[in-house]
């Protein structure tokens, strides 16, 4: 049985699309069972709707406080019986309700080589710092901001002419394959987390 992925997005959803494309193959050990967003206008929701995958939206502004938002997001994810939750361009910090419901089973993809440049503006921050190499990181989510155990990283060279948009697109081209590959590994093996070490056997 393929593993059940719930994918969380905030924007265009090209990483989601890469997972949807990969999961079209019977050989891929996972399928996307639902897509959640923190904003109704997240363009990536249409990618899921096009292929008949259920979507849900949990907008923080609709809730009295962060705890209520977190509880509702956890409840929505719970409905889909997820084996793994994938934060693929989801621009929110997950709260304790979601984290405790899926211990060591939430994956995030980030457009920088962590621990450098965590947070919401990683590509901008890397350019502003003047690095000559950057990249992307796929990691497990813990209760910090982009601090969980690293699963895989890939390097991308910075060009002198790069703008934030151009560099981010080049990172995303690498990131999509990295995420698809990591999910394939995780969903076809036993996964044990010992401190910062992720043992895949
Ligand atoms: C990706 O580059 C992802 O790493 C980044 O948002 C982009 C989403 O692209 N996430 C973060 O910056 C989280 N801190 P997509 O919507 O086309 O998949």
């Amino acid at each position: 049985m393929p593993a059940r992925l719930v994918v969380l997005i905030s924007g265009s959803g090209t990483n989601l699309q890469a997972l949807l494309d990969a999961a079209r193959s019977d050989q891929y050990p996972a399928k996307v069972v639902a897509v959640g967003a923190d904003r109704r206008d997240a363009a990536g929701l249409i990618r899921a709707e096009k292929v008949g995958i259920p979507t849900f939206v949990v907008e923080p502004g609709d809730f009295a406080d962060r705890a209520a938002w977190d509880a509702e997001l956890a409840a929505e994810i719970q409905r889909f019986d997820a084996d793994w939750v994938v934060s693929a361009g989801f621009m929110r910090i997950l709260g304790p309700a979601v984290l405790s419901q899926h211990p060591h089973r939430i994956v995030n993809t980030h457009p920088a080589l962590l621990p450098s440049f965590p947070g919401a503006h990683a590509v901008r921050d890397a350019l502003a710092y003047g690095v000559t190499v950057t990249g992307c990181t796929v990691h497990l989510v813990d209760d910090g901001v982009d601090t969980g155990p690293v699963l895989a990283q890939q390097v991308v060279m910075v060009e002198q002419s790069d703008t934030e948009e151009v560099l981010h697109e080049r990172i995303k081209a690498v990131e999509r394959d990295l995420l698809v590959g990591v999910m394939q590994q995780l969903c076809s093996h036993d996964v044990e987390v010992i401190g910062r070490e992720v043992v895949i056997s």
Side-chain angles (χ1 to χ4, degrees), residues 92-105:
R92 303 269 169 196
I93 306 302
L94 295 169
V98 173
L99 292 174
S100 61
Q101 194 170 271
H102 305 280
H104 302 317
R105 289 296 180 274

Side-chain angles (χ1 to χ4, degrees), residues 124-184:
R124 187 188 309 170
D125 294 346
L127 270 180
Y129 196 86
V131 295
T132 58
V133 292
T134 184
C136 49
T137 303
V138 178
H139 66 97
L140 290 179
V141 175
D142 64 9
D143 59 3
V145 178
D146 300 324
T147 52
V150 171
L151 294 161
Q153 293 184 300
Q154 188 80 48
V155 167
V156 174
M157 302 304 291
V158 179
E159 308 289 342
Q160 224 156 26
S161 59
D162 272 343
T163 61
E164 182 181 352
E165 289 70 28
V166 168
L167 177 57
H168 200 170
E169 281 310 315
R170 230 170 40 253
I171 292 171
K172 289 209 300 185
V174 170
E175 189 179 13
R176 292 189 277 265
D177 287 346
L178 195 68
L179 179 63
V180 166
V182 167
M183 293 317 300
Q184 177 163 22

Side-chain angles (χ1 to χ4, degrees), residues 11-16 88-91 109-111 119-120 146 168 172 175:
S12 64
T14 65
N15 281 280
L16 161 67
F90 189 66
M91 303 304 282
T109 181
H110 183 76
D146 300 324
H168 200 170
K172 289 209 300 185
E175 189 179 13

Side-chain angles (χ1 to χ4, degrees), residues 4-11 16 32-46 48-49 52-60 62-63 69-82 84-87 90 94 98 101-102:
R4 299 171 64 81
L5 309 184
V6 170
V7 181
L8 303 178
I9 62 166
S10 297
L16 161 67
V32 179
V33 295
V35 174
D38 61 332
R39 38 193 302 171
R40 285 180 184 82
D41 63 355
L45 288 171
I46 295 165
E49 286 157 10
I53 290 173
T55 62
F56 57 88
V57 176
V58 187
E59 283 201 357
D62 294 341
F63 296 87
W69 171 77
D70 175 35
E72 180 61 18
L73 182 57
E76 284 286 0
I77 296 170
Q78 175 91 35
R79 288 203 295 134
F80 296 98
D81 195 19
W84 289 91
V85 177
V86 183
S87 163
F90 189 66
L94 295 169
V98 173
Q101 194 170 271
H102 305 280

